[in-house]
Amino acid sequence: MSIDPALVDPVQAILLIPLAAAALLALLPGYRIGAALNVLASAVSLGFAVSLLWHRPAVGLYLMVDDLSIVFVVLNCLVGFTTSVFSASYIGHELDSGKLAPRLVRFYHAMYQLMMFGMNLALLANNIGLMWVAVELATLTTVLMVGLYRTAQALEAAWKYFILGSVGIALALFGTILVYLAARPVAGEGMEAMVWTHLLHLAPAFDPSLLNIAFIFLLLGYGTKVGLAPLHAWLPDAHAEGPTPISAVLSGLLLNVALYALLRFKVLLAANPGAIAPNPLMIAMGLLSLVFAAFMLYRRRDIKRLFAYSSIEHMGIIVFAFGMAGPLGNFAGLLQMTMHSLTKSAIFFSVGHVAQVKGTQRIADIGGLTESHPILGWTLVAGVAAIVGLPPFGVFTSEFLVISSSFSQAPGLALILVFGLLLGFGALVLRMTGVAFGPVRGPVGRVRASYLPIFAHLGLVLVAGFWLPPPLVAWFQHVATLLG
């Protein structure tokens, strides 16, 4: 999409388009026009996000754009757009089958764009208070959508998500306040002590004891949103009971937004020579999440819960990579995050249609997909092969880099990492063998599926396994250097 930056500020457009679309979608009664507008708004937002690669507005007190934020914003808008395309057919089926009332579909579309606004705002905020508000807004909108079906299980999952998410965001707020208190003696009172660009410049003079305590609260608070064990309890229920497009967004986007906030504060802490090193804490929580989730995969009986724990596993790998740090560790973390977002959302796209045609999410009631529904079955097989790190998919490349960087720095930690990866590999292959290749179980009727988002995501992950464009590699290397 060609955009003239002289005519429109891309940052303002990325924020105002979903906000205006949300207001309009709340008023539109028809499903088809609502779904079309949802896709259109997401597509235009993606176009403006891509334009940030060559046109960056000036940094202000409230908003900013740098290489790190662009990585997250482009990925956020890309997956947001493809999920909106998938959502159009998925929600249409739910409406036709009577699972959703028309008024709830209108509510869903409005909340979807409001969620995109909140996530984009968090990624573009140059103010630690504004970023906290944006993460909370994105969380609240997803809470409302998790309970969309209004069943007892969906409402319970939404309340669980709300309560645990509120605890997490409260801890993050306390950590944010402590950062402000550490900055106030140096930066002065008011807005100046909450602006990222100013904080990073002045960080070496901050009180390290306050920064240390702040990071503990921030790691626990935003770590809850990332889905790190043992702070993960909300995530499997939210995935299992909410609409599948929201499962794709939670795994592919919202976890990344919380990770982005954590990385910003990590850089701030690393700039202070007297503060504790954040890396050991991130390494410990990353490995704990990886190994815990890998064991839990063997006990899952619900297919969406299965992949929810897979998301916990992979967020553990990503946090571990950023904890190992260094140019290679940070590069591997960025690549792993990107590959996971694309792969896991594609898996949920396939799983959503499978659950619709089979009428269940129980793994025991789903079988022989490659025979009964070949496209859905084989795309699910490809998604699982990619997410467990088999070549030639891009996840293999990113996990190989994570293992290489960890072996070069701490072989003992690398062995734990490899153990967790092999454990998760065995669980997913075990569960998916019967689903894809076992005897046919469940209904075999046709499903009105949207295959384009699945093919697009898996295609990108496959290409990344063979070839990474040199500009993308240089970009990620630069961001990796910025992360320290």
Side-chain angles (χ1 to χ4, degrees):
M1 181 177 295
S2 178
I3 300 170
D4 185 356
L7 299 178
V8 182
D9 184 332
V11 171
Q12 294 180 9
I14 291 169
L15 297 176
L16 294 178
I17 288 173
L19 193 60
L24 187 57
L25 286 166
L27 303 175
L28 292 176
Y31 157 71
R32 293 187 181 279
I33 189 172
L37 179 58
N38 192 41
V39 172
L40 177 62
S42 301
V44 176
S45 296
L46 174 60
F48 279 106
V50 172
S51 76
L52 291 174
L53 293 171
W54 63 83
H55 174 65
R56 302 185 187 184
V59 173
L61 289 178
Y62 296 99
L63 301 174
M64 73 165 187
V65 176
D66 63 5
D67 287 324
L68 178 61
S69 60
I70 291 176
V71 171
F72 282 82
V73 169
V74 171
L75 183 61
N76 195 66
C77 290
L78 172 61
V79 178
F81 165 63
T82 53
T83 303
S84 70
V85 176
F86 161 73
S87 176
S89 60
Y90 179 90
I91 296 297
H93 181 279
E94 301 294 91
L95 184 63
D96 293 341
S97 63
K99 291 184 178 180
L100 285 178
R103 61 180 179 85
L104 292 179
V105 174
R106 183 171 59 183
F107 173 81
Y108 166 84
H109 284 143
M111 287 297 102
Y112 188 93
Q113 287 299 318
L114 190 59
M115 172 195 66
M116 293 301 300
F117 165 75
M119 291 191 293
N120 289 338
L121 180 60
L123 299 174
L124 295 169
N126 193 25
N127 181 291
I128 57 176
L130 180 62
M131 185 184 69
W132 180 88
V133 171
V135 173
E136 176 70 349
L137 174 63
T139 302
L140 290 176
T141 54
T142 50
V143 165
L144 293 173
M145 287 192 283
V146 165
L148 189 69
Y149 288 117
R150 300 297 190 266
T151 62
Q153 295 82 357
L155 293 175
E156 180 184 353
W159 273 109
K160 187 175 183 179
Y161 180 16
F162 174 73
I163 293 170
L164 295 179
S166 296
V167 172
I169 206 68
L171 293 173
L173 175 61
F174 192 60
T176 303
I177 293 172
L178 288 175
V179 170
Y180 171 78
L181 292 177
R184 188 176 60 175
V186 180
E189 295 188 358
M191 194 63 65
E192 297 293 326
M194 300 182 70
V195 176
W196 276 119
T197 46
H198 295 170
L199 292 175
L200 188 59
H201 178 68
L202 301 172
F206 293 170
D207 181 358
S209 59
L210 278 177
L211 282 182
N212 293 343
I213 300 172
F215 188 75
I216 299 298
F217 281 101
L218 291 164
L219 180 61
L220 293 175
Y222 286 119
T224 303
K225 302 290 185 183
V226 175
L228 297 177
L231 313 168
H232 68 284
W234 63 271
L235 196 149
D237 288 343
H239 278 68
E241 302 302 335
T244 303
I246 302 309
S247 301
V249 168
L250 283 173
S251 281
L253 298 182
L254 191 59
L255 304 185
N256 291 347
V257 173
L259 175 66
Y260 170 85
L262 196 57
L263 290 177
R264 285 292 187 191
F265 284 107
K266 173 182 177 289
V267 172
L268 191 67
L269 198 71
N272 187 292
I276 61 172
N279 295 351
L281 295 173
M282 297 180 68
I283 289 171
M285 292 199 71
L287 287 179
L288 174 63
S289 299
L290 166 62
V291 176
F292 170 80
F295 274 111
M296 293 299 289
L297 286 171
Y298 286 90
R299 297 178 56 85
R300 299 309 100 196
R301 300 295 181 265
D302 182 292
I303 193 167
K304 289 176 68 176
R305 287 181 186 271
L306 178 77
F307 290 111
Y309 275 96
S310 174
S311 294
I312 297 170
E313 175 196 11
H314 280 268
M315 294 311 294
I317 298 170
I318 295 165
V319 170
F320 171 83
F322 285 121
M324 295 303 296
L328 184 57
N330 289 330
F331 182 92
L334 289 169
L335 187 60
Q336 177 74 8
M337 179 195 71
T338 304
M339 294 298 102
H340 172 256
S341 293
L342 294 173
T343 307
K344 188 56 62 62
S345 50
I347 288 174
F348 275 114
F349 296 161
S350 295
V351 166
H353 289 313
V354 168
Q356 285 182 330
V357 71
K358 296 296 183 181
T360 181
Q361 295 175 189
R362 292 187 71 248
I363 295 175
D365 296 332
I366 304 172
L369 284 176
T370 53
E371 181 179 344
S372 62
H373 300 84
I375 299 179
L376 288 177
W378 284 110
T379 54
L380 186 57
V381 169
V384 171
I387 207 63
V388 298
L390 290 178
F393 294 98
V395 180
F396 168 79
T397 305
S398 59
E399 289 186 353
F400 179 80
L401 291 176
V402 175
I403 295 171
S404 300
S405 65
S406 57
F407 261 115
S408 65
Q409 300 180 61
L413 296 177
L415 290 176
I416 299 175
L417 173 68
V418 172
F419 170 74
L421 290 173
L422 292 176
L423 199 63
F425 173 90
L428 287 176
V429 171
L430 176 66
R431 291 296 178 206
M432 286 299 103
T433 299
V435 168
F437 303 110
V440 176
R441 292 190 296 270
V444 295
R446 295 181 60 187
V447 60
R448 186 176 62 185
S450 178
Y451 297 114
L452 184 59
I454 305 175
F455 293 150
H457 282 210
L458 293 179
L460 288 173
V461 175
L462 180 61
V463 170
F466 289 101
W467 175 72
L468 291 173
L472 178 66
V473 174
W475 181 22
F476 276 23
Q477 287 175 336
H478 175 62
V479 175
T481 303
L482 294 177
L483 289 172

